[in-house]
Amino acid sequence: MQGLKNSIVSLLLATSVNSQTIADEVDLSWLPVVVYDFLDDSPTVPVMPADTRSQWDAYSVELITESGANQLVWQAQTNIDHYQIEYRIGDGEWITQTTTTNNLQLDVALTGTVEFRIIGCQSETLCSSYSNELNTYISAEPGNLPSYIFVPKYVKYNEPFAIEWSQLSNASAYELQQQANGQTFTTIYTGTPELTNNRHEVRLAPLTKGDYCYRLRAKVATDYGDYSTPVCTYVGERTLASVSSFEATETEPGKYHLAWQHTPYATTYQLERETLTVSENVQNVQQSSKLNTSYKVQASNSESSTELKWQSVASGSLTELEQIHTIDTFDRDGLQKYRIKACDNIGSCGAATELSYTVPVTHIVDGVPKNVKPSGVNNNIVKLDWNPVPGANSYVVEMSRKGSTWVRLITGLLSPTMTRTITLAGEYKFKVNACINTGFCGEYSPVAEFEATIDSVPNKTPQFFALSCKLEDETDPDSPCVNPPEGWVDVAWRAPVLTGVSQYEVMGELKNVIAKQVFNADADGYYHLKRAAGTEGREYCYVVRAWYSDGSKGDYTETKCIVIGDLAFEKPNNFLINQVASQEFKIKWDAVAGATKYLLEQQISVSEWQAIQYSEATSKQLQYGSAQQAVYNVLGHMGYRVSACRDDNVCGKFARVYLAPVSSSAFLTSPPLEHKVPACLRVPEVVAAGESIPVSWCPPQQSGVHSYDIVGELKSIIVDEEQSFFAKDKQGLLTINRPSLPEGREYCYKVRAKYSDGSVSDYTEKQCTTVGSIVFDAPAEMLYRASTTQFNNFDIAWSPITNADHYLLERQSEVGLWQTVNCQASNISINTNDYVGCNLNLTSDDLLQELGQVFYRVSACNAENVCGNYQRVNFELMSTLAEVYQTADGSKLYLQLSDGQYIELERDESNRWTVNLLSQAQWDAISPTTNFTVSGYSIESGDYSADGLADFKLINGSEEIIFLHNESEGYSQSLGRTVLFIHTDLLGTPVAETGINGNIN
């Protein structure tokens, strides 16, 4: 490389006056307008103020030719100490040179495809002022080609740009070609652009996004020479390189230093962290005094969504950041995942570089609530305060009375304070942990203790409160209570010490108040309320209090509970409901060992609950519509309970949870479609042969249901009745017992709701039951194969079943109605695989008209005609072609008649037509639809010969008519068709001629 040398000739860049333009009108305001001092001895580009250019890069770089030498020049920049010139030949290594001037004379040996870029440096270590990048071709033989041609490496897709090359003195014209996205080169300019400072220029109007290459050749004397090697540009948004050396270093527990290297052409960096989606809808309210608490609660609390999103952490020119991991960065339980992108000054960014690390929970910065202090407001109320935790969205408080286990008092506390009414005296312990909206909670605080004393009114509390039941063994007091319907529970108590009671209130049975009335004492002084036993497997609890004539009331008795039958399960733990989006909630609980299903119910009135899910799931997504808003307006909360259940549908104890308050904006203005669908469906997995089949479902979460219909049992709709027709089972599900069905196979069911306004819901997901034991599994495959010689002739085949005596093949003739198909199954080989099946000729009569396809199912049967599960297949029948195809010279026509027959018409030199009947294989070999064009003929049918058989005629726009006359049914005889051709003679008179009968091939 020769040393740097300043040119003594000034450079005038392209202007709108001295340029050739391809487009009729091109906005040239994007081009820099420059002025030169002709007394200056260097081709200096005028200085531009820093950070004022709106393009991708800070300044432009160009090639010029001066005194036979090529020079690289660029706009000088303010506050620049020196420049780094970087270039590479082809895909070779980058070569770097440093200069304090703004030009570089190129070595004569530097030829071929060369890429240039300039970086301005503010100091020895800081280089961040980038020029545009230039793609050039420098000719090794400038006598035949211009010494150079260049284009910018990147062009914004909505801006024009220029192709420029040096003057070739003996050239009389130039031809410029363009290649778009790898396609063929096409000529876009021929001629001689005006010359400006020994350089030609052709400007292009804005192009669509893509890769474009350009090549040039010159016309010397009368001939054009060879094309130059192409130079290429990308029109669109330039993609920066991804950030390198993105690393994290822990400086102290919970604090990390993130750092990365500077990326060429980047002006900013976008640092993001992957987080779980959570709701930001938070409301502070005062909780109802009915729950004996006072605290600030959030409507959007600790729960995560399944969706991950990237959240901005920082954006700017920084190359390092300190990240302090408070609890709000533990939405993924300590996993930290970041990505960073380098972006230029118009927002075009490179690919993201990712970084992951895990912070131990014990390293949460200030994550444990401090200074938890309980204090007495009065003898019945304790107030709890603690220091706020940075980044926390809510708090959980747990309490333990001396000698008892820890219980969770409340979740979702927004403020670091709460009050609690205490009903029993004694020593209490409290602990608090902080949580975020995804459900993650940090470590618990140290335990704080409190001594509570109680003001009570014992003289008004009923005495000697007790429960009893009908025992399975009256001689054994530890015997289980009898299940319904024979079982009962007796609630008994004696009057309080203070007289003047007007009535007693009894609450319990998983409901609310079950009695509030005047009771009369028996001879033994006890009051009794005898109740029918609840469903087996559960615990039922009761309390009683007295109401006095003066309107006052006493305290409730202590709660007492009794189990009907054997307790199925304890209540599920950690039953929580959380708002995960502005109009979406999630309810969840811990799995219970041994449980196969869970019954989830929603409170719909003071004493009524409605099943909304019965499945193995331990969570449910919820949305609230008008029906839920009506409940909330009455109750002031949304209440739910859940219990674990066995395979025999016996469920255990309930856990309850209440959501309050709920913002009015959380209720949808129109009900979700899924609310119209019955909320669950239950059928037994297996029933014995001869037994009826109970089909049960949860009501929809929408009001206005008029009736239900059920589909199943290998049919269509089997039940369509008003909702009052259906009974409720012990779990509150609507139910119907279906008659016994033939054993040996599986039967499936779906149910939907029909509304009083005429609308219907979607069907539930299907549930299936097996009657007896499966005699045969369904065939693994069922398929069809179309004949290559006969129209709409198919082999219906399926995988053979070992030990099957015969097969039952059925066709769906109407929706839900299946008819047996006469089929003597035989062996069929398809694609070298062995099947059994039947060969069937099908017509449109076999279609299930509503769906436009044919539907078949097959099952294997034993000698007693007991059949197993079925496999099914559906497909479309072959349709006929409406078009007539012709060869290029028009001597042959190809068509298909409505009966499927393929026809070839061949015109001879006498203008007569020969009819050839083609097989499917012949038609496929000729492939008229691919190899020939659509003719001007159309096909019409009719009984043109008045013989009762379908004839056809071909008509084109010039009234040329070809008749195909059917002389025998089925078009299968050698003399089955006659062709009449009407044409005109030399005088224009129509002449009809009889054609030649076709042959069968």
Side-chain angles (χ1 to χ4, degrees):
M1 174 70 67
Q2 294 183 0
L4 298 175
K5 182 170 110 177
N6 293 333
S7 171
I8 62 173
V9 179
S10 60
L11 168 66
L12 180 63
L13 291 179
T15 66
S16 60
V17 177
N18 300 318
S19 308
Q20 183 72 30
T21 302
I22 291 178
D24 292 334
E25 294 183 5
V26 179
D27 180 10
L28 303 176
S29 61
W30 66 282
L31 289 172
V33 177
V34 297
V35 179
Y36 292 91
D37 181 357
F38 282 89
L39 298 179
D40 193 351
D41 63 355
S42 64
T44 305
V45 180
V47 171
M48 296 182 64
D51 304 322
T52 60
R53 183 175 169 85
S54 63
Q55 305 300 315
W56 270 327
D57 310 303
Y59 48 94
S60 296
V61 60
E62 312 282 351
L63 269 177
I64 65 171
T65 302
E66 177 59 34
S67 302
N70 295 327
Q71 286 192 354
L72 193 69
V73 295
W74 56 93
Q75 292 171 303
Q77 300 297 294
T78 57
N79 303 318
I80 295 298
D81 177 76
H82 63 279
Y83 298 94
Q84 289 181 357
I85 301 95
E86 297 184 350
Y87 66 93
R88 65 177 177 178
I89 303 172
D91 295 326
E93 296 294 326
W94 286 96
I95 300 171
T96 302
Q97 218 171 320
T98 303
T99 181
T100 57
T101 65
N102 65 322
N103 60 77
L104 173 69
Q105 182 169 306
L106 304 182
D107 194 311
V108 295
L110 183 61
T111 61
T113 302
V114 187
E115 181 180 347
F116 293 99
R117 67 186 181 199
I118 313 297
I119 309 174
C121 301
Q122 292 88 339
S123 66
E124 289 295 328
T125 58
L126 178 59
C127 298
S128 61
S129 180
Y130 292 88
S131 75
N132 69 312
E133 296 172 84
L134 206 64
N135 279 344
T136 72
Y137 173 70
I138 301 176
S139 175
E141 302 180 47
N144 299 320
L145 287 169
S147 60
Y148 61 80
I149 178 174
F150 66 84
V151 294
K153 184 176 181 179
Y154 298 101
V155 175
K156 290 184 68 174
Y157 69 91
N158 59 347
E159 293 187 355
F161 65 100
I163 315 295
E164 301 179 62
W165 64 90
S166 62
Q167 179 190 21
L168 186 63
S169 59
N170 58 345
S172 60
Y174 300 92
E175 180 184 284
L176 180 64
Q177 290 194 330
Q178 174 183 275
Q179 180 189 50
N181 299 311
Q183 303 298 313
T184 305
F185 274 96
T186 59
T187 299
I188 61 171
Y189 175 79
T190 301
T192 305
E194 292 186 13
L195 187 65
T196 302
N197 293 309
N198 300 322
R199 190 171 62 195
H200 297 289
E201 177 183 278
V202 169
R203 294 182 187 171
L204 302 181
L207 299 174
T208 57
K209 293 182 180 182
D211 294 293
Y212 297 87
C213 293
Y214 299 89
R215 66 184 185 183
L216 181 74
R217 65 176 178 174
K219 184 177 182 181
V220 179
T222 59
D223 299 319
Y224 278 100
D226 295 333
Y227 285 105
S228 66
T229 298
V231 291
C232 300
T233 188
Y234 173 72
V235 176
E237 295 180 359
R238 177 181 57 195
T239 301
L240 271 65
S242 57
V243 174
S244 60
S245 300
F246 186 25
E247 297 175 347
T249 304
E250 187 175 21
T251 57
E252 57 182 278
K255 296 183 180 180
Y256 287 75
H257 181 254
L258 307 183
W260 54 92
Q261 287 188 351
H262 176 66
T263 300
Y265 292 91
T267 58
T268 60
Y269 296 91
Q270 294 179 359
L271 179 64
E272 297 174 303
R273 178 176 170 272
E274 191 174 42
T275 62
L276 289 174
T277 301
V278 295
S279 170
E280 296 180 354
N281 178 26
V282 178
Q283 300 180 10
N284 298 341
V285 299
Q286 195 73 15
Q287 182 71 347
S288 168
S289 61
K290 292 181 181 179
L291 299 182
N292 297 320
T293 59
S294 177
Y295 50 81
K296 293 179 179 179
V297 65
Q298 62 177 6
S300 170
N301 56 16
S302 54
E303 181 57 38
S304 66
S305 169
T306 56
E307 185 179 8
L308 290 170
K309 288 188 176 181
W310 290 98
Q311 184 178 42
S312 177
V313 175
S315 178
S317 58
L318 70 167
T319 57
E320 60 182 355
L321 180 76
E322 183 182 44
Q323 182 74 330
I324 299 176
H325 289 292
T326 49
I327 194 171
D328 52 322
T329 65
F330 279 74
D331 49 308
R332 301 182 68 186
D333 299 343
L335 173 64
Q336 310 296 329
K337 188 173 181 180
Y338 295 87
R339 70 181 183 186
I340 189 168
K341 298 176 183 178
C343 306
D344 61 23
N345 60 2
I346 66 164
S348 179
C349 302
T353 300
E354 294 189 354
L355 170 68
S356 297
Y357 57 89
T358 300
V359 182
V361 174
T362 55
H363 287 189
I364 299 175
V365 177
D366 296 328
V368 177
K370 297 177 181 178
N371 298 322
V372 178
K373 295 179 180 180
S375 58
V377 177
N378 55 40
N379 285 341
N380 294 79
I381 299 176
V382 61
K383 185 174 186 291
L384 200 64
D385 298 284
W386 58 93
N387 294 349
V389 173
N393 300 117
S394 62
Y395 301 91
V396 174
V397 179
E398 292 197 6
M399 180 182 75
S400 173
R401 186 170 176 269
K402 184 177 180 180
S404 65
T405 59
W406 286 95
V407 294
R408 181 169 291 186
L409 287 184
I410 192 66
T411 63
L413 293 175
L414 182 61
S415 300
T417 183
M418 70 164 292
T419 57
R420 179 76 179 185
T421 299
I422 301 297
T423 57
L424 295 174
E427 297 178 7
Y428 287 84
K429 295 180 180 180
F430 297 90
K431 59 183 180 181
V432 181
N433 67 349
C435 304
I436 56 177
N437 283 347
T438 62
F440 174 84
C441 298
E443 295 181 297
Y444 276 98
S445 67
V447 172
E449 297 182 353
F450 178 76
E451 179 75 23
T453 58
I454 303 298
D455 289 335
S456 62
V457 283
N459 291 338
K460 288 187 176 182
T461 304
Q463 304 179 86
F464 307 108
F465 176 48
L467 300 177
S468 61
C469 68
K470 181 179 181 179
L471 299 175
E472 292 183 3
D473 183 353
E474 295 292 347
T475 64
D476 180 5
D478 295 325
S479 175
C481 296
V482 174
N483 294 328
E486 293 83 8
W488 47 260
V489 174
D490 183 63
V491 184
W493 66 94
R494 299 191 73 171
V497 174
L498 186 65
T499 60
V501 174
S502 61
Q503 55 186 354
Y504 292 96
E505 174 189 306
V506 183
M507 181 184 295
E509 294 181 358
L510 312 178
K511 300 177 182 177
N512 201 327
V513 176
I514 57 176
K516 185 181 179 183
Q517 64 190 55
V518 175
F519 285 87
N520 296 315
D522 288 349
D524 59 3
Y526 275 89
Y527 297 88
H528 294 270
L529 176 64
K530 197 168 186 178
R531 302 284 293 177
T535 55
E536 63 176 304
R538 287 180 175 158
E539 179 184 67
Y540 297 87
C541 300
Y542 300 85
V543 292
V544 180
R545 70 177 173 183
W547 286 80
Y548 284 79
S549 301
D550 60 4
S552 65
K553 58 183 181 294
D555 290 339
Y556 280 111
T557 61
E558 63 178 327
T559 301
K560 290 198 173 183
C561 305
I562 196 166
V563 175
I564 304 302
D566 294 320
L567 181 64
F569 296 103
E570 293 290 343
K571 66 181 181 181
N573 292 324
N574 294 319
F575 187 32
L576 301 170
I577 183 170
N578 302 283
Q579 189 169 1
V580 296
S582 61
Q583 295 182 317
E584 187 172 348
F585 300 80
K586 185 175 182 180
I587 194 165
K588 69 175 186 176
W589 57 92
D590 291 345
V592 176
T596 57
K597 289 184 175 63
Y598 300 90
L599 177 65
L600 177 65
E601 297 171 279
Q602 176 186 309
Q603 189 176 14
I604 58 174
S605 70
V606 171
S607 59
E608 287 184 286
W609 298 77
Q610 177 176 297
I612 61 172
Q613 181 171 284
Y614 187 71
S615 71
E616 66 280 358
T618 56
S619 65
K620 182 176 176 62
Q621 297 290 127
L622 301 170
Q623 287 187 303
Y624 295 151
S626 56
Q628 289 72 36
Q629 188 163 23
V631 170
Y632 180 79
N633 291 341
V634 172
L635 299 179
H637 64 259
M638 301 303 297
Y640 297 89
R641 66 187 188 189
V642 68
S643 55
C645 307
R646 304 190 307 233
D647 278 333
D648 60 359
N649 300 317
V650 172
C651 302
K653 291 183 179 180
F654 285 107
R656 288 186 179 88
V657 69
Y658 297 92
L659 177 66
V662 181
S663 169
S664 59
S665 63
F667 294 94
L668 300 172
T669 55
S670 59
L673 291 179
E674 67 176 21
H675 278 198
K676 300 190 71 171
V677 183
C680 71
L681 175 63
R682 182 186 72 196
V683 297
E685 292 185 5
V686 179
V687 296
E691 288 188 357
S692 62
I693 302 172
V695 180
S696 306
W697 61 94
C698 304
Q701 298 180 68
Q702 181 63 32
S703 58
V705 176
H706 173 266
S707 59
Y708 296 94
D709 69 50
I710 306 172
V711 299
E713 298 178 1
L714 310 182
K715 301 176 184 178
S716 183
I717 296 177
I718 55 174
V719 176
D720 187 355
E721 296 287 351
E722 294 184 8
Q723 66 171 340
S724 59
F725 172 83
F726 303 100
K728 285 191 175 182
D729 68 7
K730 58 188 176 184
Q731 311 301 356
L733 276 63
L734 297 168
T735 188
I736 184 174
N737 282 317
R738 294 294 298 160
S740 62
L741 295 169
E743 63 177 312
R745 71 192 323 178
E746 182 182 66
Y747 298 90
C748 300
Y749 298 86
K750 295 190 294 187
V751 63
R752 70 176 177 181
K754 301 167 73 174
Y755 288 80
S756 300
D757 61 5
S759 63
V760 296
S761 74
D762 291 335
Y763 281 104
T764 61
E765 295 292 327
K766 71 176 181 180
Q767 294 283 329
C768 302
T769 186
T770 299
V771 177
S773 58
I774 299 295
V775 62
F776 292 112
D777 288 328
E781 285 185 274
M782 189 176 186
L783 63 164
Y784 66 94
R785 178 177 62 183
S787 170
T788 60
T789 59
Q790 299 183 53
F791 187 67
N792 278 334
N793 177 273
F794 294 89
D795 288 325
I796 310 296
W798 54 89
S799 304
I801 298 295
T802 305
N803 298 325
D805 179 75
H806 61 280
Y807 296 92
L808 174 63
L809 180 66
E810 299 170 283
R811 178 179 62 83
Q812 192 172 17
S813 56
E814 298 178 17
V815 175
L817 180 62
W818 295 82
Q819 294 182 341
T820 301
V821 177
N822 185 16
C823 168
Q824 298 297 322
S826 59
N827 294 328
I828 296 175
S829 179
I830 300 178
N831 297 328
T832 71
N833 295 321
D834 293 330
Y835 299 92
V836 292
C838 302
N839 181 265
L840 302 175
N841 290 311
L842 305 181
T843 68
S844 59
D845 293 337
D846 298 303
L847 288 170
L848 183 61
Q849 299 298 332
E850 292 86 346
L851 300 177
Q853 292 186 322
V854 290
F855 289 77
Y856 287 90
R857 69 184 186 193
V858 68
S859 54
C861 309
N862 61 21
E864 289 73 35
N865 210 33
V866 176
C867 301
N869 287 338
Y870 66 82
Q871 184 63 269
R872 57 185 274 171
V873 69
N874 54 282
F875 53 90
E876 295 179 353
L877 296 183
M878 299 171 62
S879 60
T880 56
L881 297 170
E883 293 84 4
V884 178
Y885 296 86
Q886 68 179 8
T887 56
D889 59 2
S891 63
K892 290 184 179 181
L893 300 178
Y894 294 90
L895 62 144
Q896 185 184 20
L897 301 181
S898 59
D899 63 356
Q901 177 63 60
Y902 294 106
I903 301 291
E904 177 189 66
L905 295 176
E906 184 174 6
R907 192 201 305 257
D908 61 17
E909 295 179 354
S910 302
N911 214 21
R912 304 174 67 186
W913 294 88
T914 299
V915 181
N916 296 313
L917 309 185
L918 301 181
S919 67
Q920 175 78 57
Q922 290 173 313
W923 178 272
D924 291 341
I926 297 171
S927 190
T929 58
T930 302
N931 296 327
F932 306 134
T933 60
V934 176
S935 72
Y937 288 97
S938 61
I939 307 174
E940 295 183 3
S941 62
D943 186 9
Y944 302 119
S945 56
D947 58 1
L949 300 178
D951 304 317
F952 300 90
K953 65 180 177 180
L954 278 65
I955 306 175
N956 70 4
S958 60
E959 299 303 321
E960 183 179 54
I961 302 177
I962 304 172
F963 284 93
L964 298 178
H965 174 56
N966 184 8
E967 293 184 344
S968 61
E969 189 70 55
Y971 304 105
S972 60
Q973 303 300 316
S974 60
L975 299 179
R977 304 183 192 279
T978 299
V979 176
L980 298 179
F981 175 56
I982 299 178
H983 67 281
T984 58
D985 61 16
L986 295 178
L987 298 178
T989 303
V991 177
E993 296 183 3
T994 301
I996 302 175
N997 288 315
N999 300 315
I1000 296 179
N1001 295 290

